[in-house]
Each structure stands twice: as C-alpha cells, then as structure tokens.
Amino acid sequence: MPQTQDWVPLSVDVSVPSMARVYDYMLGGAHNFAVDREVGGQIEHLMPGLRNAARVNRRFLGRAVRFMMDQGIRQFLDIGSGIPTVANVHEVAQDADPACRIVYVDRDPVAVAHSELMLMSNDRAAVVQADMRDPEAILASPEVRRLLNLDEPVGLLMLLMMHWVPDESDPPALMKVYRDALAPGSYLAMTHVSADHQDDAVSAATDVIKKSRSADQMTMRSYDQVHALFDGYELVEPGLVGCGEWRPDGPGDIADEYGMNMLAYAGVGRKP
C-alpha cells in the first residue's frame, strides 16, 4: 500500500506496526500496511478466533452508543477511535439523531488523517490527534470546545484502550481526570483485555506484540483491576462482563468461541 495515498501522512513510517491499524486489519478494513498485516497474521495464527473478538467489540460499541442515546445522551467523546471503519460512533448516533455531536481522539496519524477526510462534510463530528494520557490537551482542544458542552452529560467511550496504558502511568488517576471533567449524568463505556480466562495462546500473542517494533504494549488486567477503572461511576446492568455478554441483541453480537466473548471485559457506567 503506497505511502503516497492521500490518507497516509508523509511523516508515517510504514515499516513500523500500529495496533490501531492491526485492529483495522482484524475488522477487514483497508487502512493498514504490510507490517500491520504481518503482526495481525501472527496473532491470528495463535488465536484463530481473534477476528470474531474484534467484531464482538465493534458490536458492543453500537449497543453502548444506542443505550446512551436512550438515556438522552447526544454528544460523544471517543478516545482511541482508531481507523474509521463501518459502524463508528457518528454513524450509529447520527443515524438515530443527526443532531448528535462526536469528537474522535487518536494518536495514530493514519487514523487521524483518514478520519479528517471522512468527516470533511460532517460539521457535527471532528477528530483530535492526541495521546489519551494527555486529557488536559484533549479536553481543551478546539474540536472539543466547539462540539461538546462539558456542562451537559457526555458519552465517553474507551474501547480496547486502557490496556495500552501501563501501570506506571497510573490508569486510575487518568480515569479520574476524565471523570471529573464530565457532568453528572455522563456515561463511560469501556472494553479492556482481561487477564482472566486466558490461556497460553493469549500469552504468546502478547509476546508477538512485545517483539514487534510497535510503541503499543499491552497490560492485561484482572476483573477487579478493570472494575476499579469505573470508580466514581455506577455500573448499569449487567455490570462488568465478557464483551459478548453485555446486552446482546442476537447471535451477531456473540462469538461462536466462548473464549472470544471473554477476551475483553465490557461495561457501561453512569456518573451520578
């Protein structure tokens, strides 16, 4: 895939893998490079059901957004949005209510460049290039200030993101900054790769990521550790569960392999 395509910034080193682009590959997207597909293929070889796990996570996104909209949420902040593929937040939300406002955030320049192209004609959606560990910069960005009113409830999404934040970056403290910035009645939706229910294949897949040159390194966490990231929120039913088990609407929301439903925990919490 040539670097000169209009959605690829010239500054991007296409020889270095990005987990955002690996995820795009797993979802069947077209915005990834050979090195991303190589890493994705190695992981998929170790975990043959991984594409189903990616699909289950994407289906959870849609259910979480629709749930928040049922509670009256009309503005969303998607941290770590990745490559815009089918059924992104603005597609789900604006399909139900065109007045919804969405800000995407990602640090991957390819994800941001393609988001900018896709959103050029959408004046109620924008993207910010930033690291999620810099919440002050994100919340003070022109895009957030233009589109989101933080004095009103916001739907905050952090899907498959917090496991990229190492323990030394103090994930609970980071989550507190975001929570404190949100108005009462806001919601948090999160998925996080689990350290529970895992086997040797998951450990081997994690080693593949560690051995790649990607700057993204995964920290799997237990149920209690992921639950702690919802501190200050009231988890809605069914609580923190396997991603495929959070209010499934039908077979398409659930992977055939039980382990792929439990690969990541999922939950939605409300700030009282």
Side-chain angles (χ1 to χ4, degrees), residues 34-112:
V35 67
D36 307 309
R37 295 190 288 275
E38 180 181 354
V39 171
Q42 291 174 10
I43 296 173
E44 192 177 14
H45 176 73
L46 295 166
M47 302 174 65
L50 195 59
R51 284 181 183 265
N52 267 337
R55 172 182 56 79
V56 165
N57 182 76
R58 178 59 55 147
R59 293 292 290 252
F60 167 77
L61 180 150
R63 300 198 302 281
V65 169
R66 287 189 291 271
F67 168 81
M68 292 180 189
M69 293 190 69
D70 287 345
Q71 315 312 309
I73 300 296
R74 292 298 182 271
Q75 51 179 356
F76 298 88
L77 179 60
D78 185 358
I79 306 287
S81 50
I83 309 291
T85 52
V86 176
N88 247 292
V89 177
H90 76 281
E91 294 175 323
V92 175
Q94 292 179 345
D95 182 61
D97 184 348
C100 286
R101 307 181 308 281
I102 299 94
V103 175
Y104 293 111
V105 180
D106 207 285
R107 73 177 186 181
D108 185 296
V110 170
V112 172

Side-chain angles (χ1 to χ4, degrees), residues 30 77 147 213 260 263:
L77 179 60
L147 287 173
R213 291 184 292 156
M260 293 300 104
L263 185 65

Side-chain angles (χ1 to χ4, degrees), residues 205-216:
T206 303
D207 287 341
V208 169
I209 297 171
K210 289 179 179 178
K211 291 175 182 176
S212 74
R213 291 184 292 156
S214 172
D216 306 304

